[in-house]
Structure formats: C-alpha cells, structure tokens
Amino acid sequence: MKRLMGEIDVKNAFQRLDTLTKEENLMTAARTFEATHDVNANVKATQELTQHVDNKITVIEEVLQQVDSNIRVTQELTCDVRADVDVIKDGTRSIDDNVRVTKRGTPIVSISLSHTDLLIF
C-alpha cells in the first residue's frame, strides 16, 4: 500500500506541475500580448509623429520655394535698377560734359561794325 500511496503522490505532483506549467504558459502569453500591444501603440504614435514631421517638411519646402521665387524676382528687379542706374550715369556724364564745355566758355567773337558797313547799296 505504501507503494500505491507513493504513486498517487507522484501522480498528484505531476498533475500540479502540469497545471502550473499551463498557468505559466498562459501568463507568458498574456505578458507577450501586453508587450505586443504596447509596441503596436508606440509604432502608431511614431507613425503619427512621422506624418506630422513630413507635413512640416512639406510646408518648409513650400516656404523655401516661395523665398527662392522672391529672391529671383528681387535679382531681376536689381538688374533692372542696375540698368536704369547705368542709363542715368551715362546721361549724367553727357550733362557733365556739356557743363564743362559751357564753363570753359566758347570763344567770344567780337565784330565791330561801322556805320558805313551797315549801308546796303
């Protein structure tokens, strides 16, 4: 009978061990599911942040394109202004040359006429 009692005890111990193993497997699966759920939530949050960053980069690219367009327009206007300034400089040089000639004066020619020279025959 002692032998039988020992076998029953061993059998009971194996059943308890089997039950504990099953419970441990269930707990491991639950923790794995929980960890997977957390990772999935983190991935979704990262995707949303990435989308926001991507949208901000798109807005920055659009602003940079506008700035680039403004710079090109400014360069064109600067070239136009430069051309106008060059025309004004040329005109100023011509005026300056005319003023110099006038300041130096033109030779004064004096003609004296006598009374007799004015008579027409």
Side-chain angles (χ1 to χ4, degrees):
M1 256 228 123
K2 281 192 173 190
R3 194 168 195 207
L4 223 76
M5 284 276 230
E7 284 181 30
I8 293 173
D9 290 335
V10 171
K11 214 179 204 184
N12 287 340
F14 276 126
Q15 283 179 347
R16 283 180 52 211
L17 181 61
D18 187 47
T19 302
L20 288 173
T21 304
K22 286 179 184 177
E23 286 178 6
E24 186 177 356
N25 285 338
L26 287 174
M27 287 178 65
T28 302
R31 286 187 180 150
T32 302
F33 178 75
E34 182 182 4
T36 304
H37 179 72
D38 290 343
V39 167
N40 190 32
N42 289 339
V43 167
K44 284 183 181 179
T46 303
Q47 285 174 338
E48 289 176 13
L49 289 173
T50 304
Q51 183 64 35
H52 290 309
V53 168
D54 188 45
N55 291 340
K56 288 180 181 180
I57 288 173
T58 301
V59 168
I60 290 170
E61 286 174 345
E62 290 172 1
V63 168
L64 288 176
Q65 286 174 353
Q66 290 173 356
V67 168
D68 186 48
S69 296
N70 289 341
I71 288 172
R72 287 185 184 158
V73 169
T74 302
Q75 287 174 337
E76 290 172 9
L77 290 173
T78 303
C79 287
D80 290 345
V81 168
R82 174 69 184 197
D84 291 344
V85 167
D86 288 342
V87 168
I88 292 169
K89 281 182 180 179
D90 290 341
T92 305
R93 282 189 194 118
S94 296
I95 292 170
D96 189 43
D97 292 342
N98 290 338
V99 168
R100 284 188 189 141
V101 167
T102 304
K103 278 185 176 180
R104 279 190 236 138
T106 54
I108 300 175
V109 178
S110 92
I111 303 175
S112 67
L113 298 172
S114 65
H115 246 15
T116 55
D117 291 335
L118 289 175
L119 297 173
I120 299 178
F121 294 100

